[in-house]
mmCIF file with all atom_site columns, all heavy atoms in Angstrom:
data_model
loop_
_atom_site.group_PDB
_atom_site.id
_atom_site.type_symbol
_atom_site.label_atom_id
_atom_site.label_alt_id
_atom_site.label_comp_id
_atom_site.label_asym_id
_atom_site.label_entity_id
_atom_site.label_seq_id
_atom_site.pdbx_PDB_ins_code
_atom_site.Cartn_x
_atom_site.Cartn_y
_atom_site.Cartn_z
_atom_site.occupancy
_atom_site.B_iso_or_equiv
_atom_site.pdbx_formal_charge
_atom_site.auth_seq_id
_atom_site.auth_comp_id
_atom_site.auth_asym_id
_atom_site.auth_atom_id
_atom_site.pdbx_PDB_model_num
ATOM 1   N N   . ASP B 1 276 ? 28.061 -38.157 43.478 1.00 0.00 ? 294 ASP B N   1
ATOM 2   C CA  . ASP B 1 276 ? 27.507 -37.365 42.366 1.00 0.00 ? 294 ASP B CA  1
ATOM 3   C C   . ASP B 1 276 ? 27.636 -38.085 41.037 1.00 0.00 ? 294 ASP B C   1
ATOM 4   O O   . ASP B 1 276 ? 28.541 -37.767 40.275 1.00 0.00 ? 294 ASP B O   1
ATOM 5   C CB  . ASP B 1 276 ? 28.208 -35.999 42.330 1.00 0.00 ? 294 ASP B CB  1
ATOM 6   C CG  . ASP B 1 276 ? 27.983 -35.179 43.550 1.00 0.00 ? 294 ASP B CG  1
ATOM 7   O OD1 . ASP B 1 276 ? 26.901 -35.330 44.148 1.00 0.00 ? 294 ASP B OD1 1
ATOM 8   O OD2 . ASP B 1 276 ? 28.878 -34.358 43.934 1.00 0.00 ? 294 ASP B OD2 1
ATOM 9   N N   . PRO B 1 277 ? 26.822 -39.079 40.839 1.00 0.00 ? 295 PRO B N   1
ATOM 10  C CA  . PRO B 1 277 ? 26.942 -39.837 39.574 1.00 0.00 ? 295 PRO B CA  1
ATOM 11  C C   . PRO B 1 277 ? 26.552 -38.961 38.389 1.00 0.00 ? 295 PRO B C   1
ATOM 12  O O   . PRO B 1 277 ? 25.716 -38.074 38.498 1.00 0.00 ? 295 PRO B O   1
ATOM 13  C CB  . PRO B 1 277 ? 25.967 -40.995 39.729 1.00 0.00 ? 295 PRO B CB  1
ATOM 14  C CG  . PRO B 1 277 ? 24.929 -40.468 40.678 1.00 0.00 ? 295 PRO B CG  1
ATOM 15  C CD  . PRO B 1 277 ? 25.647 -39.581 41.640 1.00 0.00 ? 295 PRO B CD  1
ATOM 16  N N   . LEU B 1 278 ? 27.162 -39.273 37.257 1.00 0.00 ? 296 LEU B N   1
ATOM 17  C CA  . LEU B 1 278 ? 26.767 -38.577 36.023 1.00 0.00 ? 296 LEU B CA  1
ATOM 18  C C   . LEU B 1 278 ? 25.532 -39.230 35.423 1.00 0.00 ? 296 LEU B C   1
ATOM 19  O O   . LEU B 1 278 ? 25.561 -40.411 35.069 1.00 0.00 ? 296 LEU B O   1
ATOM 20  C CB  . LEU B 1 278 ? 27.955 -38.677 34.993 1.00 0.00 ? 296 LEU B CB  1
ATOM 21  C CG  . LEU B 1 278 ? 27.651 -38.184 33.583 1.00 0.00 ? 296 LEU B CG  1
ATOM 22  C CD1 . LEU B 1 278 ? 27.342 -36.678 33.641 1.00 0.00 ? 296 LEU B CD1 1
ATOM 23  C CD2 . LEU B 1 278 ? 28.746 -38.477 32.630 1.00 0.00 ? 296 LEU B CD2 1
ATOM 24  N N   . ILE B 1 279 ? 24.452 -38.494 35.378 1.00 0.00 ? 297 ILE B N   1
ATOM 25  C CA  . ILE B 1 279 ? 23.227 -38.969 34.778 1.00 0.00 ? 297 ILE B CA  1
ATOM 26  C C   . ILE B 1 279 ? 22.823 -37.980 33.690 1.00 0.00 ? 297 ILE B C   1
ATOM 27  O O   . ILE B 1 279 ? 22.557 -36.814 33.981 1.00 0.00 ? 297 ILE B O   1
ATOM 28  C CB  . ILE B 1 279 ? 22.112 -39.137 35.807 1.00 0.00 ? 297 ILE B CB  1
ATOM 29  C CG1 . ILE B 1 279 ? 22.568 -40.081 36.918 1.00 0.00 ? 297 ILE B CG1 1
ATOM 30  C CG2 . ILE B 1 279 ? 20.859 -39.649 35.149 1.00 0.00 ? 297 ILE B CG2 1
ATOM 31  C CD1 . ILE B 1 279 ? 21.527 -40.317 38.004 1.00 0.00 ? 297 ILE B CD1 1
ATOM 32  N N   . THR B 1 280 ? 22.873 -38.408 32.460 1.00 0.00 ? 298 THR B N   1
ATOM 33  C CA  . THR B 1 280 ? 22.715 -37.475 31.321 1.00 0.00 ? 298 THR B CA  1
ATOM 34  C C   . THR B 1 280 ? 21.364 -37.653 30.694 1.00 0.00 ? 298 THR B C   1
ATOM 35  O O   . THR B 1 280 ? 20.672 -38.625 30.884 1.00 0.00 ? 298 THR B O   1
ATOM 36  C CB  . THR B 1 280 ? 23.818 -37.721 30.313 1.00 0.00 ? 298 THR B CB  1
ATOM 37  O OG1 . THR B 1 280 ? 23.741 -39.123 29.974 1.00 0.00 ? 298 THR B OG1 1
ATOM 38  C CG2 . THR B 1 280 ? 25.138 -37.445 30.846 1.00 0.00 ? 298 THR B CG2 1
ATOM 39  N N   . PRO B 1 281 ? 20.908 -36.648 29.893 1.00 0.00 ? 299 PRO B N   1
ATOM 40  C CA  . PRO B 1 281 ? 19.595 -36.757 29.248 1.00 0.00 ? 299 PRO B CA  1
ATOM 41  C C   . PRO B 1 281 ? 19.499 -37.963 28.367 1.00 0.00 ? 299 PRO B C   1
ATOM 42  O O   . PRO B 1 281 ? 20.396 -38.269 27.598 1.00 0.00 ? 299 PRO B O   1
ATOM 43  C CB  . PRO B 1 281 ? 19.526 -35.445 28.418 1.00 0.00 ? 299 PRO B CB  1
ATOM 44  C CG  . PRO B 1 281 ? 20.535 -34.515 29.035 1.00 0.00 ? 299 PRO B CG  1
ATOM 45  C CD  . PRO B 1 281 ? 21.598 -35.412 29.562 1.00 0.00 ? 299 PRO B CD  1
ATOM 46  N N   . GLY B 1 282 ? 18.391 -38.645 28.444 1.00 0.00 ? 300 GLY B N   1
ATOM 47  C CA  . GLY B 1 282 ? 18.176 -39.809 27.624 1.00 0.00 ? 300 GLY B CA  1
ATOM 48  C C   . GLY B 1 282 ? 17.327 -39.481 26.403 1.00 0.00 ? 300 GLY B C   1
ATOM 49  O O   . GLY B 1 282 ? 16.668 -38.452 26.315 1.00 0.00 ? 300 GLY B O   1
ATOM 50  N N   . ARG B 1 283 ? 17.342 -40.393 25.455 1.00 0.00 ? 301 ARG B N   1
ATOM 51  C CA  . ARG B 1 283 ? 16.558 -40.171 24.216 1.00 0.00 ? 301 ARG B CA  1
ATOM 52  C C   . ARG B 1 283 ? 15.156 -40.677 24.374 1.00 0.00 ? 301 ARG B C   1
ATOM 53  O O   . ARG B 1 283 ? 14.236 -40.285 23.660 1.00 0.00 ? 301 ARG B O   1
ATOM 54  C CB  . ARG B 1 283 ? 17.281 -40.857 23.063 1.00 0.00 ? 301 ARG B CB  1
ATOM 55  C CG  . ARG B 1 283 ? 16.548 -40.715 21.749 1.00 0.00 ? 301 ARG B CG  1
ATOM 56  C CD  . ARG B 1 283 ? 17.331 -41.243 20.579 1.00 0.00 ? 301 ARG B CD  1
ATOM 57  N NE  . ARG B 1 283 ? 16.598 -41.131 19.342 1.00 0.00 ? 301 ARG B NE  1
ATOM 58  C CZ  . ARG B 1 283 ? 16.576 -40.054 18.604 1.00 0.00 ? 301 ARG B CZ  1
ATOM 59  N NH1 . ARG B 1 283 ? 17.191 -38.985 19.003 1.00 0.00 ? 301 ARG B NH1 1
ATOM 60  N NH2 . ARG B 1 283 ? 15.892 -40.042 17.465 1.00 0.00 ? 301 ARG B NH2 1
ATOM 61  N N   . PHE B 1 284 ? 14.899 -41.630 25.313 1.00 0.00 ? 302 PHE B N   1
ATOM 62  C CA  . PHE B 1 284 ? 13.612 -42.269 25.410 1.00 0.00 ? 302 PHE B CA  1
ATOM 63  C C   . PHE B 1 284 ? 12.930 -41.853 26.725 1.00 0.00 ? 302 PHE B C   1
ATOM 64  O O   . PHE B 1 284 ? 13.546 -41.728 27.746 1.00 0.00 ? 302 PHE B O   1
ATOM 65  C CB  . PHE B 1 284 ? 13.719 -43.803 25.405 1.00 0.00 ? 302 PHE B CB  1
ATOM 66  C CG  . PHE B 1 284 ? 14.427 -44.302 24.160 1.00 0.00 ? 302 PHE B CG  1
ATOM 67  C CD1 . PHE B 1 284 ? 15.778 -44.540 24.159 1.00 0.00 ? 302 PHE B CD1 1
ATOM 68  C CD2 . PHE B 1 284 ? 13.696 -44.492 23.016 1.00 0.00 ? 302 PHE B CD2 1
ATOM 69  C CE1 . PHE B 1 284 ? 16.400 -44.977 23.013 1.00 0.00 ? 302 PHE B CE1 1
ATOM 70  C CE2 . PHE B 1 284 ? 14.314 -44.962 21.868 1.00 0.00 ? 302 PHE B CE2 1
ATOM 71  C CZ  . PHE B 1 284 ? 15.661 -45.162 21.861 1.00 0.00 ? 302 PHE B CZ  1
ATOM 72  N N   . ASP B 1 285 ? 11.663 -41.651 26.635 1.00 0.00 ? 303 ASP B N   1
ATOM 73  C CA  . ASP B 1 285 ? 10.855 -41.329 27.855 1.00 0.00 ? 303 ASP B CA  1
ATOM 74  C C   . ASP B 1 285 ? 10.624 -42.594 28.684 1.00 0.00 ? 303 ASP B C   1
ATOM 75  O O   . ASP B 1 285 ? 10.356 -42.541 29.856 1.00 0.00 ? 303 ASP B O   1
ATOM 76  C CB  . ASP B 1 285 ? 9.582  -40.654 27.476 1.00 0.00 ? 303 ASP B CB  1
ATOM 77  C CG  . ASP B 1 285 ? 9.769  -39.338 26.829 1.00 0.00 ? 303 ASP B CG  1
ATOM 78  O OD1 . ASP B 1 285 ? 10.783 -38.678 27.130 1.00 0.00 ? 303 ASP B OD1 1
ATOM 79  O OD2 . ASP B 1 285 ? 8.947  -38.947 25.978 1.00 0.00 ? 303 ASP B OD2 1
ATOM 80  N N   . GLU B 1 286 ? 10.601 -43.731 28.027 1.00 0.00 ? 304 GLU B N   1
ATOM 81  C CA  . GLU B 1 286 ? 10.419 -44.985 28.744 1.00 0.00 ? 304 GLU B CA  1
ATOM 82  C C   . GLU B 1 286 ? 11.143 -46.066 27.966 1.00 0.00 ? 304 GLU B C   1
ATOM 83  O O   . GLU B 1 286 ? 11.461 -45.942 26.797 1.00 0.00 ? 304 GLU B O   1
ATOM 84  C CB  . GLU B 1 286 ? 8.952  -45.332 28.893 1.00 0.00 ? 304 GLU B CB  1
ATOM 85  C CG  . GLU B 1 286 ? 8.181  -45.395 27.555 1.00 0.00 ? 304 GLU B CG  1
ATOM 86  C CD  . GLU B 1 286 ? 6.715  -45.694 27.718 1.00 0.00 ? 304 GLU B CD  1
ATOM 87  O OE1 . GLU B 1 286 ? 6.360  -45.892 28.886 1.00 0.00 ? 304 GLU B OE1 1
ATOM 88  O OE2 . GLU B 1 286 ? 6.013  -45.729 26.746 1.00 0.00 ? 304 GLU B OE2 1
ATOM 89  N N   . LEU B 1 287 ? 11.381 -47.167 28.635 1.00 0.00 ? 305 LEU B N   1
ATOM 90  C CA  . LEU B 1 287 ? 12.128 -48.251 28.060 1.00 0.00 ? 305 LEU B CA  1
ATOM 91  C C   . LEU B 1 287 ? 11.239 -49.517 28.077 1.00 0.00 ? 305 LEU B C   1
ATOM 92  O O   . LEU B 1 287 ? 11.472 -50.390 28.906 1.00 0.00 ? 305 LEU B O   1
ATOM 93  C CB  . LEU B 1 287 ? 13.447 -48.508 28.762 1.00 0.00 ? 305 LEU B CB  1
ATOM 94  C CG  . LEU B 1 287 ? 14.396 -47.287 28.877 1.00 0.00 ? 305 LEU B CG  1
ATOM 95  C CD1 . LEU B 1 287 ? 15.637 -47.663 29.652 1.00 0.00 ? 305 LEU B CD1 1
ATOM 96  C CD2 . LEU B 1 287 ? 14.750 -46.779 27.501 1.00 0.00 ? 305 LEU B CD2 1
ATOM 97  N N   . PRO B 1 288 ? 10.259 -49.613 27.234 1.00 0.00 ? 306 PRO B N   1
ATOM 98  C CA  . PRO B 1 288 ? 9.410  -50.820 27.263 1.00 0.00 ? 306 PRO B CA  1
ATOM 99  C C   . PRO B 1 288 ? 10.076 -52.043 26.650 1.00 0.00 ? 306 PRO B C   1
ATOM 100 O O   . PRO B 1 288 ? 10.915 -51.893 25.752 1.00 0.00 ? 306 PRO B O   1
ATOM 101 C CB  . PRO B 1 288 ? 8.182  -50.372 26.460 1.00 0.00 ? 306 PRO B CB  1
ATOM 102 C CG  . PRO B 1 288 ? 8.758  -49.394 25.499 1.00 0.00 ? 306 PRO B CG  1
ATOM 103 C CD  . PRO B 1 288 ? 9.859  -48.704 26.198 1.00 0.00 ? 306 PRO B CD  1
ATOM 104 N N   . ASP B 1 289 ? 9.704  -53.153 27.172 1.00 0.00 ? 307 ASP B N   1
ATOM 105 C CA  . ASP B 1 289 ? 10.083 -54.449 26.533 1.00 0.00 ? 307 ASP B CA  1
ATOM 106 C C   . ASP B 1 289 ? 11.607 -54.635 26.478 1.00 0.00 ? 307 ASP B C   1
ATOM 107 O O   . ASP B 1 289 ? 12.120 -55.240 25.562 1.00 0.00 ? 307 ASP B O   1
ATOM 108 C CB  . ASP B 1 289 ? 9.530  -54.548 25.121 1.00 0.00 ? 307 ASP B CB  1
ATOM 109 C CG  . ASP B 1 289 ? 8.026  -54.396 25.108 1.00 0.00 ? 307 ASP B CG  1
ATOM 110 O OD1 . ASP B 1 289 ? 7.404  -54.791 26.126 1.00 0.00 ? 307 ASP B OD1 1
ATOM 111 O OD2 . ASP B 1 289 ? 7.465  -53.907 24.134 1.00 0.00 ? 307 ASP B OD2 1
ATOM 112 N N   . LEU B 1 290 ? 12.351 -54.115 27.507 1.00 0.00 ? 308 LEU B N   1
ATOM 113 C CA  . LEU B 1 290 ? 13.776 -54.357 27.475 1.00 0.00 ? 308 LEU B CA  1
ATOM 114 C C   . LEU B 1 290 ? 14.084 -55.746 28.014 1.00 0.00 ? 308 LEU B C   1
ATOM 115 O O   . LEU B 1 290 ? 13.435 -56.179 28.973 1.00 0.00 ? 308 LEU B O   1
ATOM 116 C CB  . LEU B 1 290 ? 14.494 -53.338 28.390 1.00 0.00 ? 308 LEU B CB  1
ATOM 117 C CG  . LEU B 1 290 ? 14.739 -51.950 27.756 1.00 0.00 ? 308 LEU B CG  1
ATOM 118 C CD1 . LEU B 1 290 ? 15.417 -51.033 28.787 1.00 0.00 ? 308 LEU B CD1 1
ATOM 119 C CD2 . LEU B 1 290 ? 15.627 -52.046 26.549 1.00 0.00 ? 308 LEU B CD2 1
ATOM 120 N N   . PRO B 1 291 ? 15.036 -56.426 27.413 1.00 0.00 ? 309 PRO B N   1
ATOM 121 C CA  . PRO B 1 291 ? 15.389 -57.761 27.924 1.00 0.00 ? 309 PRO B CA  1
ATOM 122 C C   . PRO B 1 291 ? 16.036 -57.625 29.331 1.00 0.00 ? 309 PRO B C   1
ATOM 123 O O   . PRO B 1 291 ? 16.696 -56.630 29.626 1.00 0.00 ? 309 PRO B O   1
ATOM 124 C CB  . PRO B 1 291 ? 16.366 -58.282 26.945 1.00 0.00 ? 309 PRO B CB  1
ATOM 125 C CG  . PRO B 1 291 ? 16.932 -57.063 26.263 1.00 0.00 ? 309 PRO B CG  1
ATOM 126 C CD  . PRO B 1 291 ? 15.846 -56.092 26.244 1.00 0.00 ? 309 PRO B CD  1
ATOM 127 N N   . ALA B 1 292 ? 15.845 -58.635 30.157 1.00 0.00 ? 310 ALA B N   1
ATOM 128 C CA  . ALA B 1 292 ? 16.475 -58.609 31.488 1.00 0.00 ? 310 ALA B CA  1
ATOM 129 C C   . ALA B 1 292 ? 17.969 -58.708 31.322 1.00 0.00 ? 310 ALA B C   1
ATOM 130 O O   . ALA B 1 292 ? 18.481 -59.466 30.511 1.00 0.00 ? 310 ALA B O   1
ATOM 131 C CB  . ALA B 1 292 ? 15.955 -59.785 32.298 1.00 0.00 ? 310 ALA B CB  1
ATOM 132 N N   . ALA B 1 293 ? 18.676 -57.908 32.124 1.00 0.00 ? 311 ALA B N   1
ATOM 133 C CA  . ALA B 1 293 ? 20.135 -57.861 32.042 1.00 0.00 ? 311 ALA B CA  1
ATOM 134 C C   . ALA B 1 293 ? 20.689 -59.068 32.808 1.00 0.00 ? 311 ALA B C   1
ATOM 135 O O   . ALA B 1 293 ? 20.164 -59.471 33.840 1.00 0.00 ? 311 ALA B O   1
ATOM 136 C CB  . ALA B 1 293 ? 20.669 -56.583 32.625 1.00 0.00 ? 311 ALA B CB  1
ATOM 137 N N   . PRO B 1 294 ? 21.793 -59.618 32.320 1.00 0.00 ? 312 PRO B N   1
ATOM 138 C CA  . PRO B 1 294 ? 22.458 -60.697 33.070 1.00 0.00 ? 312 PRO B CA  1
ATOM 139 C C   . PRO B 1 294 ? 22.912 -60.194 34.438 1.00 0.00 ? 312 PRO B C   1
ATOM 140 O O   . PRO B 1 294 ? 23.247 -59.011 34.605 1.00 0.00 ? 312 PRO B O   1
ATOM 141 C CB  . PRO B 1 294 ? 23.622 -61.048 32.195 1.00 0.00 ? 312 PRO B CB  1
ATOM 142 C CG  . PRO B 1 294 ? 23.315 -60.514 30.825 1.00 0.00 ? 312 PRO B CG  1
ATOM 143 C CD  . PRO B 1 294 ? 22.464 -59.328 31.080 1.00 0.00 ? 312 PRO B CD  1
ATOM 144 N N   . ALA B 1 295 ? 22.922 -61.105 35.388 1.00 0.00 ? 313 ALA B N   1
ATOM 145 C CA  . ALA B 1 295 ? 23.293 -60.719 36.742 1.00 0.00 ? 313 ALA B CA  1
ATOM 146 C C   . ALA B 1 295 ? 24.756 -60.260 36.741 1.00 0.00 ? 313 ALA B C   1
ATOM 147 O O   . ALA B 1 295 ? 25.615 -60.911 36.164 1.00 0.00 ? 313 ALA B O   1
ATOM 148 C CB  . ALA B 1 295 ? 23.112 -61.866 37.694 1.00 0.00 ? 313 ALA B CB  1
ATOM 149 N N   . ALA B 1 296 ? 24.982 -59.126 37.350 1.00 0.00 ? 314 ALA B N   1
ATOM 150 C CA  . ALA B 1 296 ? 26.355 -58.600 37.439 1.00 0.00 ? 314 ALA B CA  1
ATOM 151 C C   . ALA B 1 296 ? 26.423 -57.758 38.713 1.00 0.00 ? 314 ALA B C   1
ATOM 152 O O   . ALA B 1 296 ? 25.453 -57.170 39.140 1.00 0.00 ? 314 ALA B O   1
ATOM 153 C CB  . ALA B 1 296 ? 26.712 -57.748 36.255 1.00 0.00 ? 314 ALA B CB  1
ATOM 154 N N   . PRO B 1 297 ? 27.592 -57.789 39.350 1.00 0.00 ? 315 PRO B N   1
ATOM 155 C CA  . PRO B 1 297 ? 27.686 -57.054 40.645 1.00 0.00 ? 315 PRO B CA  1
ATOM 156 C C   . PRO B 1 297 ? 27.466 -55.579 40.370 1.00 0.00 ? 315 PRO B C   1
ATOM 157 O O   . PRO B 1 297 ? 28.053 -54.948 39.556 1.00 0.00 ? 315 PRO B O   1
ATOM 158 C CB  . PRO B 1 297 ? 29.165 -57.277 41.015 1.00 0.00 ? 315 PRO B CB  1
ATOM 159 C CG  . PRO B 1 297 ? 29.543 -58.535 40.291 1.00 0.00 ? 315 PRO B CG  1
ATOM 160 C CD  . PRO B 1 297 ? 28.768 -58.549 39.047 1.00 0.00 ? 315 PRO B CD  1
ATOM 161 N N   . GLY B 1 298 ? 26.563 -55.025 41.191 1.00 0.00 ? 316 GLY B N   1
ATOM 162 C CA  . GLY B 1 298 ? 26.312 -53.561 41.167 1.00 0.00 ? 316 GLY B CA  1
ATOM 163 C C   . GLY B 1 298 ? 25.430 -53.091 40.029 1.00 0.00 ? 316 GLY B C   1
ATOM 164 O O   . GLY B 1 298 ? 25.243 -51.908 39.918 1.00 0.00 ? 316 GLY B O   1
ATOM 165 N N   . PHE B 1 299 ? 24.926 -53.961 39.176 1.00 0.00 ? 317 PHE B N   1
ATOM 166 C CA  . PHE B 1 299 ? 24.059 -53.512 38.054 1.00 0.00 ? 317 PHE B CA  1
ATOM 167 C C   . PHE B 1 299 ? 22.586 -53.787 38.378 1.00 0.00 ? 317 PHE B C   1
ATOM 168 O O   . PHE B 1 299 ? 22.224 -54.894 38.705 1.00 0.00 ? 317 PHE B O   1
ATOM 169 C CB  . PHE B 1 299 ? 24.451 -54.220 36.760 1.00 0.00 ? 317 PHE B CB  1
ATOM 170 C CG  . PHE B 1 299 ? 23.661 -53.704 35.582 1.00 0.00 ? 317 PHE B CG  1
ATOM 171 C CD1 . PHE B 1 299 ? 24.064 -52.559 34.892 1.00 0.00 ? 317 PHE B CD1 1
ATOM 172 C CD2 . PHE B 1 299 ? 22.490 -54.359 35.215 1.00 0.00 ? 317 PHE B CD2 1
ATOM 173 C CE1 . PHE B 1 299 ? 23.279 -52.131 33.854 1.00 0.00 ? 317 PHE B CE1 1
ATOM 174 C CE2 . PHE B 1 299 ? 21.756 -53.899 34.138 1.00 0.00 ? 317 PHE B CE2 1
ATOM 175 C CZ  . PHE B 1 299 ? 22.135 -52.798 33.464 1.00 0.00 ? 317 PHE B CZ  1
ATOM 176 N N   . VAL B 1 300 ? 21.783 -52.741 38.264 1.00 0.00 ? 318 VAL B N   1
ATOM 177 C CA  . VAL B 1 300 ? 20.344 -52.914 38.476 1.00 0.00 ? 318 VAL B CA  1
ATOM 178 C C   . VAL B 1 300 ? 19.654 -52.237 37.330 1.00 0.00 ? 318 VAL B C   1
ATOM 179 O O   . VAL B 1 300 ? 20.009 -51.111 36.940 1.00 0.00 ? 318 VAL B O   1
ATOM 180 C CB  . VAL B 1 300 ? 19.922 -52.233 39.800 1.00 0.00 ? 318 VAL B CB  1
ATOM 181 C CG1 . VAL B 1 300 ? 18.395 -52.428 39.991 1.00 0.00 ? 318 VAL B CG1 1
ATOM 182 C CG2 . VAL B 1 300 ? 20.646 -52.872 40.972 1.00 0.00 ? 318 VAL B CG2 1
ATOM 183 N N   . LEU B 1 301 ? 18.665 -52.849 36.695 1.00 0.00 ? 319 LEU B N   1
ATOM 184 C CA  . LEU B 1 301 ? 17.900 -52.259 35.591 1.00 0.00 ? 319 LEU B CA  1
ATOM 185 C C   . LEU B 1 301 ? 16.755 -51.463 36.202 1.00 0.00 ? 319 LEU B C   1
ATOM 186 O O   . LEU B 1 301 ? 15.861 -52.017 36.801 1.00 0.00 ? 319 LEU B O   1
ATOM 187 C CB  . LEU B 1 301 ? 17.338 -53.337 34.692 1.00 0.00 ? 319 LEU B CB  1
ATOM 188 C CG  . LEU B 1 301 ? 16.612 -52.839 33.419 1.00 0.00 ? 319 LEU B CG  1
ATOM 189 C CD1 . LEU B 1 301 ? 17.618 -52.074 32.563 1.00 0.00 ? 319 LEU B CD1 1
ATOM 190 C CD2 . LEU B 1 301 ? 16.012 -54.015 32.662 1.00 0.00 ? 319 LEU B CD2 1
ATOM 191 N N   . PRO B 1 302 ? 16.798 -50.128 36.172 1.00 0.00 ? 320 PRO B N   1
ATOM 192 C CA  . PRO B 1 302 ? 15.882 -49.306 36.862 1.00 0.00 ? 320 PRO B CA  1
ATOM 193 C C   . PRO B 1 302 ? 14.685 -48.910 36.016 1.00 0.00 ? 320 PRO B C   1
ATOM 194 O O   . PRO B 1 302 ? 14.635 -49.090 34.829 1.00 0.00 ? 320 PRO B O   1
ATOM 195 C CB  . PRO B 1 302 ? 16.684 -48.067 37.222 1.00 0.00 ? 320 PRO B CB  1
ATOM 196 C CG  . PRO B 1 302 ? 17.553 -47.929 36.016 1.00 0.00 ? 320 PRO B CG  1
ATOM 197 C CD  . PRO B 1 302 ? 17.798 -49.317 35.510 1.00 0.00 ? 320 PRO B CD  1
#
Side-chain angles (χ1 to χ4, degrees):
D294 296 329
L296 172 65
I297 302 180
T298 55
R301 181 173 177 83
F302 303 95
D303 295 331
E304 58 182 355
L305 305 177
D307 303 330
L308 280 178
F317 182 85
V318 180
L319 187 62

